[in-house]
């Protein structure tokens, strides 16, 4: 059953946080923008297409872990928890978890409202006896959970190694915010991508079909549409690089020629070869994930990893 108190959205309304983050990011040297703004409706659809690519191992590896360890999750988590998913997207992985643990409710949180409502409706049809209560919002900012789950213990679900998109200090801050939001009896199931061969990592973020490039460039299309921008899309190229010192894959939009453009009435220039750093995806060593969780107020309980050690699912209790 789909429960929602969403108010009607105003068409083409400009998110002031989007304007602020983009203007600030383009004014920096070097230029950098937060990855959360990739996810307008088309960006969300492109990301779902990325997860099906042969090069993109995280989704199929994590999905296999969710499929294969349902009995373990049920044993460790128990029944009746409200599952709160941060950055739910299409919720494609979520049914494996919901079938395993018999939750009391499901609360998907996502910044892309249209995409969130569509995926929530689909999931509510698949689980007609489960209250599905979507919350449109940015999980990096303060949120309020629905009153309907006030009395339920919670299980935070943060798949996809989204935690890797944040700098370590910001990741710790987010984990602490999740700990406060979910409460003293909470648990957290989180996906963590492992450090591995550089070529395999780069391929996952620079696929042969160019879907990841389209995803990256779609940010410029969104800026032009929502912030009265005139960025020349063909003046940029997608770049993915491995930063070994920081153990992360970086995505950039590189100016292939000198550029002068406007966003929200402000002018910007870029030299040929200058980039906008649009996303980082940090990878973690075998012990790093546990250290990160403890720093964020969570005590690791269990961990599941595929045979190749590509990806981990980690379960933790509120510390």
């Amino acid at each position: 059953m789909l429960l929602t108190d969403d108010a009607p959205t105003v068409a083409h309304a400009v998110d002031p946080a989007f304007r602020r983050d983009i203007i600030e990011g383009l004014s920096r040297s070097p230029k950098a923008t937060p990855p959360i703004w990739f996810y307008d409706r088309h960006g969300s659809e492109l990301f779902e297409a990325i997860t099906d690519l042969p090069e993109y191992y995280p989704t199929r590896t994590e999905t296999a872990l969710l499929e294969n360890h349902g009995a373990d999750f049920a044993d460790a988590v128990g029944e009746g928890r409200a599952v709160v998913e941060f950055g739910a997207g299409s919720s494609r992985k979520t049914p494996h978890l919901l079938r395993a643990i018999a939750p009391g409710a499901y609360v998907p949180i996502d910044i892309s409202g249209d995409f969130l409502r569509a995926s929530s409706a689909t999931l509510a049809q698949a689980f007609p006896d489960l209250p599905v209560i979507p919350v449109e919002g940015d999980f990096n900012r303060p949120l309020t959970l629905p009153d309907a789950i006030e009395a339920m213990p919670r299980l935070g679900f943060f798949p996809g190694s989204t935690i890797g998109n944040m700098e370590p200090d910001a990741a710790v801050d987010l984990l602490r915010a999740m700990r406060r939001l979910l409460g003293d009896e909470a648990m957290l199931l989180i996906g963590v991508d492992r450090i591995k061969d550089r070529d395999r990592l780069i391929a996952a973020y620079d696929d042969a079909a160019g879907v990841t490039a389209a995803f990256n460039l779609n940010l410029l299309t969104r800026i032009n549409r929502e912030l009265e921008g005139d960025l020349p899309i063909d003046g940029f190229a997608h770049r993915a690089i491995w930063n070994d010192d920081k153990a992360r894959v970086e995505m950039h939009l590189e100016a292939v020629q000198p550029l002068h453009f406007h966003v929200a009435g402000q002018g910007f220039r870029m030299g040929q070869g200058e980039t906008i750093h649009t996303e980082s995806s940090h990878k973690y060593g075998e012990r790093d994930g546990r250290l990160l969780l403890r720093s964020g107020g969570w005590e690791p309980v269990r961990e599941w990893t595929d045979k190749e050690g590509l990806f981990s699912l980690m379960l933790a209790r509120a510390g």
Side-chain angles (χ1 to χ4, degrees):
M1 69 190 81
L2 178 61
L3 309 178
T4 177
D5 296 321
D6 292 335
T9 56
V10 178
H12 307 299
V14 176
D15 187 330
F18 179 44
R19 180 194 287 114
R20 182 196 63 233
D21 284 353
I22 295 301
I23 294 298
E24 288 182 358
L26 293 176
S27 301
R28 295 176 190 157
S29 182
K31 300 181 188 314
T33 54
I36 193 168
W37 301 117
F38 282 133
Y39 299 98
D40 62 355
R41 186 179 182 91
H42 187 51
S44 297
E45 292 168 347
L46 284 168
F47 181 74
E48 292 305 316
I50 288 169
T51 65
D52 289 328
L53 294 169
E55 298 97 330
Y56 197 77
Y57 63 85
T59 298
R60 63 176 176 272
T61 306
E62 185 177 37
T63 300
L65 291 172
L66 288 165
E67 290 175 336
N68 295 335
H69 294 284
D72 294 339
F73 303 145
D75 181 61
V77 172
E79 297 184 356
R81 287 183 180 268
V83 174
V84 179
E85 183 170 358
F86 298 91
S90 69
S91 303
R92 287 169 60 187
K93 303 168 190 171
T94 313
H96 302 296
L97 178 64
L98 299 182
R99 281 192 291 267
I101 66 169
Y106 172 58
V107 181
I109 301 170
D110 203 273
I111 197 169
S112 180
D114 290 344
F115 202 66
L116 172 70
R117 285 182 283 275
S119 60
S120 296
T122 299
L123 198 141
Q125 289 181 339
F127 293 86
D129 297 325
L130 177 69
V132 176
I133 315 168
V135 173
E136 182 179 350
D138 177 359
F139 59 74
N140 291 291
R141 303 182 190 279
L143 290 169
T144 301
L145 293 177
D147 291 341
I149 68 166
E150 179 66 30
M152 298 180 191
R154 291 84 181 260
L155 171 67
F157 186 39
F158 199 33
S161 195
T162 306
I163 196 74
N165 294 145
M166 302 168 187
E167 295 296 321
D169 287 350
V172 169
D173 288 345
L174 177 62
L175 289 169
R176 289 174 178 166
M178 289 177 172
R179 166 69 179 79
R180 291 191 296 270
L181 181 70
L182 296 174
D184 291 341
E185 304 301 318
M187 302 185 81
L188 176 67
L189 184 63
I190 183 171
V192 177
D193 200 4
R194 293 283 194 86
I195 295 173
K196 58 187 68 66
D197 176 74
R198 173 193 174 279
D199 290 342
R200 190 163 197 172
L201 285 166
I202 292 297
Y205 293 84
D206 193 11
D207 60 278
V211 182
T212 311
F215 173 70
N216 202 6
L217 289 161
N218 182 64
L219 175 63
L220 305 181
T221 302
R222 181 179 186 184
I223 292 171
N224 285 347
R225 181 181 67 247
E226 297 184 24
L227 300 181
E228 299 179 339
D230 58 6
L231 290 89
I233 309 302
D234 59 0
F236 291 87
H238 166 70
R239 297 285 183 259
I241 63 172
W242 171 247
N243 184 329
D244 195 57
D245 288 341
K246 296 187 176 181
R248 70 189 190 190
V249 179
E250 296 176 0
M251 292 207 319
H252 293 255
L253 290 167
E254 180 181 333
V256 297
Q257 61 196 44
L259 298 175
H260 178 215
F261 55 85
H262 301 82
V263 176
Q266 297 193 35
F268 299 91
R269 294 185 182 274
M270 292 180 67
Q272 184 175 353
E274 187 180 352
T275 73
I276 305 170
H277 183 179
T278 55
E279 183 179 57
S280 293
S281 185
H282 294 81
K283 310 304 176 184
Y284 291 93
E286 191 170 338
R287 290 181 293 182
D288 298 338
R290 293 193 290 274
L291 293 173
L292 181 70
L293 283 166
R294 289 191 177 102
S295 297
W298 297 91
E299 184 58 34
V301 175
R302 297 282 300 276
E303 182 173 2
W304 298 271
T305 305
D306 61 289
K307 291 181 180 178
E308 292 184 80
L310 300 176
F311 196 96
S312 290
L313 273 173
M314 304 186 70
L315 181 67
R317 290 186 179 279

